[in-house]
Amino acid sequence: MKWLIPMVVVTAVLAFVQLLTGSSMSPVTALAALFGGDGTERQIIVELRAPRVLVGLGAGACLGVAGTILQSTLRNPLASPEVTGVGSGAILGAVVATTIGSESPIEMVVLALLGGMLGGGVLWLVASLRGSDPLGLAVIGVLLSAMLAGATLILLTARPQLAGAMTQWLVGSLNGRTWEHWSALWPFLVIGLAGAFLVTVVLGVLAVDDDHAKAVGVSVTPWRIVVLMLAVLTTSVAAATTGALVFVGMLAPHAARALVGSDQRVALPLSALIGAATVAAADIVAQNASLPAGAVTAVAGAVVMIHVAKRTSAATVGGMR
Amino acid sequence: MIRGFLAVLAVLLIIGSLMLGTPFVGVNRLFAGGIEHIVVVELRAPRLLLGLLAGGALGVAGLMLQESLRNPLAVPELLGVSGGAAAAVTVCVVFGLTVPGAPLLPAVAGAAVGAGLTLLAVRGAVGPEATLLIGAAVSAALQAVLLAASALADSRDQGVLVRYLLGSLTGTDWADVLVVGIALAVVTPLAVLCLPSLKVLRLGDEAAASAGLNAGRARVVVLTVSCLLIAVVVGFCGPIAWIGFLAPQLARALGTASAFWSMVFGALLVVAADLAARTVLYPIELPVGGLTAVIGVAVGILVLSRRRRRVPA
Amino acid sequence: MIEAEDITVRFGSRTVLDEVSVTVERGEWLALVGRNGCGKSTLLRVLAGLLPPADGVVRIQGDPLKSLSRREIARRVAILSQSMPPVGAMTVSQLVRQGRYAVRGPLGMLGNGQDAAERTAMADTAVLDLADAQVDHLSGGERQRARLALALAQDAPVLLLDEPTTYLDVRHQLEVLELVRRLQRERGLTVVTVLHDLSQAARYADRIVALRDGVVHTQGPADEVVDAGLLHAVFGVKGRVWLDDLTGKPMCSYDAASS
């Protein structure tokens, strides 16, 4: 509990700063505009800034949830939407949606969902064929992601009029997010967050060992499908509404676990909050440097991933001796 | 048998590359005059040649990386080498920086930085998988830099972006071929000089030591030369994703892990993929690197799943 | 309580258990003994429903395991398996709480608060002091006791233990076995253990089942079946067996590998 409340405050502050960024408004004016009034300030805050902030927070929370689920269920500290093929599959789906000319974010979410299931399904297949040591599976996941990203790029170039959105899809960005994106995002966010929270106990059990899970009474395969579907759902909706915010889903669960340990009932909401805060912070930096937000998270996340890969490799090899 | 088949395939691919496209140029007219001649000589021939050169260089470089690191997945795309070179060149192009020797020198510098970052990050990690994951993380960060640069510059030139993300041969002219040819002519002898030590390195560090070879130093030399090869290619065509993985794999599948065959397969693969990229969705031209990425990675996943199953649990 | 009929298990082409039938009465303590690889751990896993047999049926309280859900099985059978991988940052009390899943369900577990069974299990295994320690930081013995607490927290009438005394020093071995005996007597638990130490098996178990190459070689009360012939036939050692003055149970000492 002790970290949840401070993290809510941190996230709220970051979100407020993000709201102010680029609007050249004093905090007071912005607050006033947020809660009423009219005129250009209200217009800017409510129509332009607020959806951007909300979509970013929502997508970050989704990725935090997805990362927590993937890492505990696959028992792999390196698992995240990026290294499981789920994220790139979802992006591919969303790009397919734009390629066939769908405009509504909802259709994009649905196709992203299908793409995410494709990516996750292939990884599942490979894992069941060859067994799953964490590092080996992560390498396959990276390859799978590279393949799906290649397919995405082919699609983007096949329709040159879409190529302008290339950066958006490949690293993720919050530019031009509208209330429509938010309304496509929030129902899935609620389902994902609530669903994942309700099954946190199962996540904790699955994180130990299949035999252990069966012994205490968890039917492993059905539950694993359920929780992985929640991960695919949250990843896909984030991908469809913001593009690939690279490495947020890897970073947030690690930070959460480092702070509160492995009690998923606390770690999961905390990871969602940290995901949201990370995206808000990245977007603040990104807007000040006119970068895409995903580029910022990619660089920050790469550092964390390197650290974790080293620790995991040391632990695995050490364990085998 | 295989050699004969390959020779026929090569001839078919070369003639096909010269013939197909708009306008279609029949075999009998390839060397006739007129506008068709110009298309063949000025557009298709340099593109074909650059494809052959680039593929060959990537094939050899990939083999060198994999043998010296003894890891079948040690590919330029997962070691930060391609990523660094591509990011450096993109930055120069989209910001319109005038750098002497562009794009060659920025590519070499970028490859060096990318490889250096990976080496730095890898220190203390154990095992091939961790190395690859760390390299992949570095590559992802470098790709983010590339994309960020193009976003910063508000570049409308998506062709540049596609080229340096995945690789493309679009718009090649004889000047490119000339520069790449000269650069490769300089680097290739170095690569040939590396081959003997490569054979020893493949057997392991202890074998290398007993053969009187300083494994560490030899590895650095081999890696440097392969980075040079990769940088030359990336500077002009982008990474042409996963050729450095596919070509040595094919060579190995046919029982010859030699640099020569890896070069041949690399060259043929790039030409074949480029031909496909130009024709499958005609008139839309796909990025050749997209095709090679999809095919290359599919092969990679198969290789990995097979490799593991052989080891008894 | 437990009836296993004609259990056959194959790993690939190797037959690990070949039509093994075992019955355990309510409140009885049965010890499975045999050499490494004779199939005793496999049999235990089959009884716990962790491994579906290729052939044969296991009934717990009259119901075939196949007809029961995982949770229903876990409410009837708790197992302490041979090993458990590292569990990350999990604390002992978190681990023990997972034993309550079968009873409380995924939603019931969301609430905070330790229930009585959890507390009793931790008190019985003397891990209350370790409640907030991380499982991965414990010594081998402490870890084994924490895992036993997990199994006890399931509060199931059947307790299966796969080498519960590994990692434990003599004193803790004794404590664990005495604890299991007390629970068996007080709560009428049905206990099946895989034990390596034949003297221990003979001392604590009501009945011994000796497995050899995937079939039941001998079974019966310890004082009837444990003798030099058993040592030779089942374990491949020459040894002596005598009755302990204090307990009246057979004791063994092993002198040489038999040819």
Side-chain angles (χ1 to χ4, degrees), chain B residues 289-313:
Chain B
L291 289 187
T292 57
V294 172
I295 300 166
V297 177
V299 174
I301 293 173
L302 281 180
V303 167
L304 266 187
S305 352
R306 238 184 25 196
R307 192 161 70 106
R308 269 316 138 114
R309 254 184 299 163
R310 246 185 257 148
V311 182

Side-chain angles (χ1 to χ4, degrees), chain A residues 141-188:
Chain A
V142 166
L143 293 183
L144 186 61
S145 301
M147 180 162 88
L148 294 167
T152 306
L153 214 57
I154 290 180
L155 272 182
L156 285 171
T157 41
R159 289 288 290 269
Q161 63 270 37
L162 300 177
M166 200 174 280
T167 319
Q168 165 77 46
W169 290 117
L170 293 178
V171 288
S173 129
L174 297 177
N175 291 336
R177 300 299 95 180
T178 64
W179 284 112
E180 214 183 330
H181 291 103
W182 171 247
S183 56
L185 192 153
W186 74 261
F188 296 97

